[in-house]
Every structure is written in C-alpha cells, then in structure tokens.
Amino acid sequence: MQATRDFSHYVKDAGSGLSHIDLAVEGVSCAGCMSKIERGLSAIPDVTLARVNLTDRRVALEWKQGALDPARFIDRLAELGYKAYPFETAGAEAAEAEQSRFLLRCLGVAAFATMNVMMLSIPVWSGNVSDMIPEQRDFFHWLSALIALPAAAYAGQPFFKSAWSALRTGNVNMDVPISIGVILALGMSLVETANHAEHAYFDAAIMLLTFLLVGRYLDQSMRRRTRAVAGNLAALKAETATKFVGADEITVVPVAAIDPGDIVLLRPGERCAVDGTVIEGRSEIDQSLITGETRHVAAEQGTAVYAGSLNMTGTLRVRVSAASEGTLLAEITRLLDNALQARSRYVRLADRASRLYAPVVHATALLTILGWVLAGASWHDAIVTGVAVLIITCPCALGLAIPTVQTVASGAMFRAGVLLNSGDSIERLADVDHVIFDKTGTLTLPDLEVVNASGIPDDVFRVAGQLALASHHPVAAAVARASEAKAPLAGAAEESGQGVRALLNGKELRLGRPSFCGAEQLAEDSLRLDPEASAVAFSNGDAKYVFCVRQGLRPDAQAVISALQKRNVKVEIVSGDREPAVRAAARALGVSDWRAGVTPGDKIARIEELKGQGSRVMMVGDGLNDAPALAAAHVSMSPISAAHLSQATADLVFLGKPLAPVVAAIDFSRKALLLMRQNLWLAVGYNFLAVPIAISGVVTPLIAAAAMSGSSILVMLNALRARSVANGRS
Amino acid sequence: MEVLVILVPLALALGLVGLLAFLWSLKSGQYDDLDGAAWRAIADDEPARELPPAEAKPSKA
C-alpha cells in the first residue's frame, strides 16, 4: 500500500488560470534562507510566483492550474533543508490582518493631516506675536478645519466605535475620554474659528489621534505576529491522517478533511490525529501526551484511541468518531471553558489605569470650568480653559505606555525562543511566585533516549543503529538517533510487534523485544537498575546487549529549577504519571514538592488551593490533560511539542529542547512590568506638571502640542529599554 | 501675500500625493512583510529565474 498525498484541500484558485497555496516553513530566519527558497522553488517549471514572507515565516506559491502537484513543493523544500506544510489561514487571523491594515490606513491619514495642520499652525503662532492680520489668521484656521475635520472623522473611527460600544453597555473604557477630548477640541476650535478668535486647537486634536494610533497599531501588530507564528506551528505539527479511500487504497490527507465515520490507518510510530475506535489490528499505545501515563496501553478491536496518542508496535485500522471534537476532548473543553471564565476577571494594567484616569480627568475639566465661572470669567473663556485641560491631559502617553513596552518585550522574548499569546500575559507572568511543572514532555523530553549508551561498545552500537533505521518504532528510532547511524542495513525485515532482523557477514542480527533476541535475563538485570526505562535487546549471533530507553530530562532542567528557586519562586511537580517515575524525576531535580497520579480535575483543585493561599501560580505543561490546568493557572506555558489544544490554551509557548526560556520569560516580563509602571508614572508626572498650567488658563496650542508630544516621546524611548536590558542579559 | 493662494493649495496637494502613495503601497501589500523587505533591499540580486546551470540541474533530477 503506497500512500499518495492529497493537499487539494489547501489549493486556492488565484484566477487567470493560476492556483495558489500558502506553506508554513520551519527554520526560515534570514535573508539567505529567503533567496535560497525563492530560487529553489522558482526553478520548478510552471511556477509563476514563489515569495517568502519573512515576518510570518510563510511561502506563497502560484503555478499554472493543474500543471503541478503541491506535494512537489514540499519535497523540493525538504531537499533544500526546510520542513514545510500547507497552511490554511484561520478566520481570526484574516480578520486581524484586515484590522491591522485599517489601523495603518487611519495612521497614514492622521499623520498626513497632522503634518499639514502643523504647517498651517506655525504661521499662526508666529503671526500672533508679529504682524498677522485677522483675515489671514481666519484663512489659516479655516484651512486647518478643512483638513482636520474629515481626517479626524476617518482616523478616529477605531476610538469612536469602541467608546460608543462601551457607553452603550454602560461601561467606560480608555476610548471614552479620548473621544470626548477629540470631539470637544474640534467642536470648540470650530466655534472659535467662526468667532475670529486667536487660538484654535485643530493641531492638538489631530496630533493626539496620531500618537494614539501609533500605540494602537503597535499593540495590534504584536498580537498579529504571534498569532501568525503560532498558526505556523500548528500547521508544522503536520496533523495528517492516512485515510482509506477504497478497500485497500489509502491517501494522506490533512486532519481538517477527515469526517466522523472515515476509516484511518495507524502505523507503528505514528501519532494518532483523531479520536476513534480500533476496528482491526493489535498494538500498544503510548498515551503520555494525553494522560501523562508513560506505561503503554494495549489496544485491540474496540479500544478507544484519542488524538495525540502514539501507536507503538502494530498497525491499526481506526474508525473515526470525531476528528476535532470527541468524548475526551469535549470533557477537557468543558473544564477549559470553566477555567478560562474564572481567569477573565483579571484586570489588565492599562484598564486599571484608565478606570482611574477617566473620572479624574473629566472631574478636573468640569471643576476648572465651574471654578473660572465662579471667579468671574465669562462662560466662553471658562469653557475654552476646560477644553485646554482636556487636551493637555490627553491619555496619549497613557495610551502608548503599555503597548510600546509589550511590543519591545515580546520581540526580545521571541528572540529568546518564547512566543506570547497576548500582551497582558507579560503582566501576569511578572508576579508569578509558584511554578507547577508537569513531568512527562515538560521536564522530560518528548522523544525517547538511550540512557546506557556509555555501557555499550561503539561498534555494536553502530551496527544496532543501522539495523534500527529499518524500523518505524519510536524505541528503535531512539537507538538510531543515539548511534548517529546514517545508512540502513540492506535486507532488514521487520516482524510486527517483535523487532527487526538482518543478515550481516553470515550472522543474523536482531533488534527488538528481549524475548525476540533471547536476552530476557539480561533485560531483567538492566531494568532492575533503572525501573523507569524500557529495554530493547540486540543480538549479533551469540553476543547479546540490552539498550535501556526512556524519556530523558531536559538538559538544563536542574539549572532552571535552581534558578527559579533563587528568584524566590516555589517549584512543584504535579503529574498524572505513576508515583515511582515522578519520585525519581523529583529526586534528580531536587524538588521536594511533588504529586503523582493526578487527574486533570485534581490539577485544577491544586491550583485553586494555591490561589486560595494567595499564590500566583504558573503552570508549565504539554499534555491534553494539562490544558484545563493551563487555563486555570494565573499564567501558563507550553513547550512547542505540546498537544494542539494545550498550545492554544497556554499564554506562552517556548521553542527548542532546553527549559531555559521559562526563566528567561520570567526575567523579561519582570523587567517589562517595571518599565510599564515607570511609563505610567511618567504619564502621571507629566500631568501633574501640565494640568496646573492648563487650569491657570495660559495654555496656547503650541504649549499643549509640545507638552503632549514630549511626554509621548519620553514614554516611547523608555519602552525601548526593554530590549537593551534583554540583550545585556543574554 | 497673494502668493499664499497658490502656495498653500500646492503644499496641500503635494501632501495629498504622499498620502495617496502611502495608501496605494498599503493596498499593494508592501507592509505585509517588513522583516523580509529590509533584507531584500540588500540582497545581491533578484531571485533569479535563470539559475546557474550547476544549481539548476540537481533540482530537476
């Protein structure tokens, strides 16, 4: 049975006889990769477009319709050394891209208007102290109005819409004071212009919008970039299934194209991509990603298998019960929803600041107006002063204070191998004081490792590795990896559920179960020393050896745990795995707090218990069974190898084998939170200086504009420090 | 001062041309990949259609 690959699900019609496909590519990081890929793909005949997007790490391809099979591109990229996978843009991502483009358009309009209104304002400012005649001033004011009013109506949409929807539901957000300030300033300026007054505030109002749009755009682009990369990761995990399209005909299709009732083939060493029931075959299944249990489960006709479990020994036919939602997943999703709801009560720093800010600003402006009227000023003068207060206290610096830091910090974290799901996870991460680790796949590596390699002669190891290359079994793959063998032995044959055999120099070589190689006694002896491992035996004629294979700890797990303890963060291991396995890992890592055999519900209970004691808990886990706990924790992190659902739930995802990004992320976020607070204080401090001046009634548009942009620039410069500190540390 | 009647609209028109150019570049996707664009500017040459024969041959194989 030779499988064909069917990617037609992803191919789009690009019009004028062309087909289009988007591929997510792993490992594109520099200009070199970019031109290498583009050249390599353009060289294929009939390809009309091959363009790499370095920001999103994707390739867009177009070719003459029907001339090529998209699988060809993936093979070509594999030849060039890149792993690629077809990609379907999720609805949310497309909407965010559109939103981001809209913000940029608003920003362009606002910036254009600001520049031109400023150009007109400068003659007015200088004219007021020299020889400008009132008619000329009115001409310039009217021109300013002509530019600023339509520009503000267009570029202010993001704020006006959000403020309106908040007001309609009876809430106040940051956009309400912004909208009131802008509309009042523009309206007031229009009245002043009509009355031939000396001052108008068009320049201040439109500049306010420009600065706020910069902040809004930065915020948006940070989230969009992370979502794009996270989308790639999901695609690169290559969730495909081998589906039967006839009695004996199979084809490889993306999981998205599988429906309940389909029959899929699950070969040894493959990870199951769907939920279903075994209808034929016999095997052992590793469900550690789902349950945390590393011991294998026997699978036969009628056994339920879940997405994420690894098939070990035999070939299975599985009838699909659910491709994306199933019994287990439904249960976990229910827990997840509850946990997420509980967390949504967290109030972000920016919201907390604006909640305080809006009433204070409006009260100040109102008191200023009333105060001046009581002091004997005319209503007109009092209102002009009140508007000046509103403009000068514009939450410009406040609107930039947090998104700028988030953008810089997320860039720095990205370079350290950490992806952020949302900006506010930085704030939550910064005050973590308790970290709960899952064991399997988190503290340990997801792949198996040979642990007694040093006890086996090199030449034996090499031959065993060559033989292991003939097998798909994950244990054999571990032997092959450890031996660094490249060339498989000729004529090797696999016996299902037993092992592989081959003839070399007239002697039979066997690799597989201890009973298959006649090495039961030797295996028992080795396993007594290391009860957590599984044994794979190798026999070369009469010479017999046993490899002990198990999931190794991440290389720097111990260093990371002591680094966390040094930062006054308590560390705990909570795993669904059996007690001896967890105890051994905890002892090796020097963690005194550990729990074993824990169910997903218990994990949440433990987190709630710690929350009750006032701890801020970070959960680090990778299994499907961790997903609800990840959602329940104050903040959560997953390795890139995690189950899809867990990755989508976690606030942060880290790449690579080492665990170091966990510590780096905490350091970065603490620094970032410090800078955010500094920025907020800068904004407040600026207001303390500027407001009394505005209340006293001496503010001209020049002073207002200069003060406002000065504070904004200060805040942006301060945010850049999140990067320089990060560089110094690494 | 009558010169203002010509110069001010001229200045605004120039600004408007800039804005239109920006909107056009935005629409044609020039801001979609800023990281890549930064590198493309200093790349040796265009991603060549006509490859050196030495490199083109193995790809056809």
Side-chain angles (χ1 to χ4, degrees):
Chain A
M1 284 185 289
Q2 180 59 46
T4 54
R5 286 173 302 167
D6 178 13
F7 294 123
S8 54
H9 185 72
Y10 294 102
V11 178
K12 279 175 274 194
D13 190 351
S16 56
L18 295 174
S19 297
H20 180 103
I21 195 167
D22 287 314
L23 302 178
V25 189
E26 196 171 32
V28 187
S29 52
C30 62
C33 311
M34 193 165 75
S35 55
K36 189 171 153 193
I37 291 178
E38 286 182 356
R39 281 167 200 224
L41 290 172
S42 306
I44 302 176
D46 291 331
V47 170
T48 54
L49 172 87
R51 195 169 172 90
V52 175
N53 184 324
L54 200 59
T55 315
D56 295 343
R57 324 246 154 137
R58 290 178 189 164
V59 183
L61 279 159
E62 277 175 16
W63 67 97
K64 287 186 193 130
Q65 214 152 37
L68 288 163
D69 180 7
R72 172 92 184 269
F73 303 126
I74 290 170
D75 294 341
R76 181 76 189 110
L77 281 167
E79 280 169 38
L80 294 169
Y82 300 95
K83 190 179 170 194
Y85 201 74
F87 183 87
E88 194 169 34
T89 320
E93 200 182 308
E96 284 210 339
E98 184 41 51
Q99 174 71 10
S100 165
R101 221 169 294 143
F102 176 64
L103 279 176
L104 207 51
R105 220 156 44 218
C106 289
L107 182 57
V109 171
F112 157 77
T114 304
M115 286 188 286
N116 286 290
V117 172
M118 276 294 160
M119 178 187 83
L120 295 168
S121 296
I122 291 169
V124 177
W125 296 333
S126 47
N128 277 342
V129 293
S130 55
D131 58 348
M132 184 177 248
I133 52 171
E135 285 72 29
Q136 279 172 349
R137 191 172 58 218
D138 284 353
F139 172 66
F140 278 95
H141 276 165
W142 280 117
L143 264 179
S144 298
L146 202 67
I147 301 164
L149 289 177
Y154 183 79
Q157 283 180 71
F159 307 103
F160 300 154
K161 276 185 191 155
S162 144
W164 177 241
S165 64
L167 283 177
R168 240 188 347 200
T169 56
N171 291 316
V172 174
N173 61 10
M174 182 81 112
D175 295 327
V176 175
I178 292 172
S179 303
I180 293 180
V182 169
I183 292 172
L184 262 182
L186 290 173
M188 195 68 211
S189 306
L190 208 57
V191 173
E192 292 287 88
T193 305
N195 291 332
H196 313 289
E198 260 185 46
H199 298 304
Y201 297 100
F202 294 113
D203 47 357
I206 195 76
M207 188 195 250
L208 162 65
L209 276 182
T210 309
F211 274 117
L212 288 167
L213 281 166
V214 169
R216 206 51 66 96
Y217 177 70
L218 286 177
D219 194 28
Q220 174 83 18
S221 68
M222 187 210 87
R223 264 180 296 142
R224 197 175 67 88
R225 180 188 184 134
T226 312
R227 192 184 289 251
V229 177
N232 287 359
L233 297 178
L236 284 168
K237 288 181 72 179
E239 298 199 31
T240 57
T242 312
K243 173 178 149 181
F244 280 92
V245 286
D248 260 334
E249 199 184 337
I250 51 176
T251 177
V252 177
V253 293
V255 174
I258 297 252
D259 295 316
D262 286 344
I263 295 173
V264 296
L265 183 74
L266 201 54
R267 281 175 286 209
E270 270 184 355
R271 208 174 271 285
C272 187
V274 294
D275 281 13
T277 321
V278 176
I279 53 171
E280 195 188 307
R282 200 174 270 278
S283 177
E284 281 179 356
I285 289 183
D286 174 358
Q287 296 198 328
S288 57
L289 199 61
I290 307 155
T291 59
E293 163 72 61
T294 43
R295 193 173 285 175
H296 303 162
V297 185
E300 51 187 26
Q301 201 173 339
T303 309
V305 288
Y306 302 109
S309 46
L310 190 64
N311 182 26
M312 306 293 279
T313 45
T315 303
L316 297 174
R317 280 185 190 217
V318 176
R319 184 182 297 282
V320 178
S321 61
S324 51
E325 276 177 57
T327 48
L328 177 78
L329 223 53
E331 169 66 16
I332 287 177
T333 314
R334 196 180 52 75
L335 283 169
L336 207 63
D337 286 345
N338 293 344
L340 279 174
Q341 254 163 20
R343 196 171 67 186
S344 63
R345 283 187 230 118
Y346 181 81
V347 185
R348 299 191 304 159
L349 200 54
D351 291 342
R352 268 180 288 171
S354 66
R355 221 177 260 185
L356 278 174
Y357 187 84
V360 170
V361 167
H362 291 149
T364 313
L366 198 67
L367 287 177
T368 308
I369 296 173
L370 293 179
W372 276 102
V373 170
L374 286 181
S378 70
W379 274 100
H380 171 264
D381 289 349
I383 290 176
V384 170
T385 316
V387 170
V389 170
L390 270 185
I391 293 174
I392 209 153
T393 57
C394 88
C396 211
L398 207 59
L400 288 169
I402 289 164
T404 43
V405 176
Q406 279 174 353
T407 311
V408 176
S410 79
M413 280 163 120
F414 185 73
R415 282 188 293 278
V418 182
L419 302 175
L420 278 172
N421 262 349
S422 63
D424 64 323
S425 46
I426 293 181
E427 294 162 33
R428 282 185 274 119
L429 186 59
D431 45 37
V432 158
D433 58 10
H434 200 116
V435 179
I436 296 182
F437 283 102
D438 170 48
K439 185 188 77 80
T440 316
T442 307
L443 287 174
T444 61
L445 287 167
D447 289 328
L448 298 166
E449 248 176 42
V450 178
V451 283
N452 63 339
S454 55
I456 291 168
D458 276 351
D459 51 332
V460 174
F461 210 159
R462 203 168 47 244
V463 179
Q466 284 181 301
L467 187 55
L469 280 175
S471 170
H472 277 302
H473 196 284
V475 170
V479 174
R481 240 191 338 266
S483 69
E484 291 172 4
K486 293 276 185 292
L489 285 183
E494 187 159 10
E495 265 181 46
S496 176
Q498 297 297 319
V500 258
R501 63 165 113 210
L503 278 176
L504 184 69
N505 305 335
K507 271 198 282 187
E508 192 182 50
L509 305 176
R510 287 181 171 205
L511 178 81
R513 282 172 180 271
S515 57
F516 178 64
C517 306
E520 288 101 328
Q521 188 56 45
L522 196 60
E524 237 170 75
D525 291 345
S526 326
L527 289 186
R528 202 170 301 132
L529 293 172
D530 189 355
E532 285 315 305
S534 7
V536 53
F538 174 66
S539 65
N540 182 356
D542 291 333
K544 299 188 197 304
Y545 302 89
V546 168
F547 299 93
C548 291
V549 175
R550 67 170 153 88
Q551 289 180 317
L553 288 171
R554 283 191 189 258
D556 59 348
Q558 200 171 354
V560 163
I561 282 172
S562 56
L564 285 173
Q565 284 162 342
K566 218 176 283 166
R567 284 167 179 71
N568 282 329
V569 176
K570 288 200 197 86
V571 179
E572 185 174 329
I573 300 177
V574 176
S575 170
D577 206 353
R578 290 161 303 131
E579 193 184 317
V582 182
R583 185 192 297 134
R587 194 185 300 142
L589 295 170
V591 178
S592 55
D593 253 345
W594 56 268
R595 275 143 221 264
V598 180
T599 65
D602 291 345
K603 285 191 183 180
I604 292 185
R606 174 64 187 149
I607 288 172
E608 293 300 336
E609 185 188 340
L610 285 168
K611 270 188 185 169
Q613 294 165 12
S615 293
R616 307 259 186 195
V617 184
M618 165 149 106
M619 173 82 205
V620 189
D622 74 322
L624 263 179
N625 61 331
D626 294 317
L630 289 169
H634 188 57
V635 63
S636 53
M637 202 161 179
S638 275
I640 176 64
S641 54
H644 191 117
L645 187 65
S646 307
Q647 231 177 58
T649 312
D651 295 305
L652 302 104
V653 174
F654 67 93
L655 314 167
K657 274 188 175 184
L659 207 54
V662 176
V663 183
I666 290 182
D667 287 347
F668 278 127
S669 64
R670 286 187 175 176
K671 178 75 200 168
L673 187 70
L674 186 76
L675 289 171
M676 285 181 204
R677 293 216 171 107
Q678 277 178 4
N679 273 351
L680 287 180
W681 283 117
L682 270 173
V684 168
Y686 148 78
N687 279 336
F688 263 103
L689 285 176
V691 168
I693 304 174
I695 293 176
S696 69
V698 297
V699 172
T700 61
L702 178 62
I703 297 176
M708 195 172 69
S709 34
S711 72
S712 300
I713 289 167
L714 209 59
V715 160
M716 283 202 242
L717 288 178
N718 192 41
L720 285 179
R721 299 203 301 145
R723 172 185 312 196
S724 62
V725 168
N727 286 347
R729 201 177 289 253
S730 60
Chain B
M1 280 308 200
E2 281 70 35
V3 72
L4 281 182
V5 180
I6 302 163
L7 284 184
V8 169
L10 191 66
L12 290 183
L14 283 175
L16 207 59
V17 168
L19 178 64
L20 290 178
F22 170 76
L23 292 179
W24 167 80
S25 65
L26 182 65
K27 204 171 171 208
S28 68
Q30 298 197 22
Y31 297 90
D32 288 353
D33 179 21
L34 292 175
D35 290 1
W39 285 108
R40 275 178 214 280
I42 56 163
D44 284 343
D45 45 25
E46 284 290 294
R49 287 252 145 200
E50 58 291 320
L51 284 179
E55 214 178 325
K57 262 172 198 158
S59 75
K60 299 254 167 70

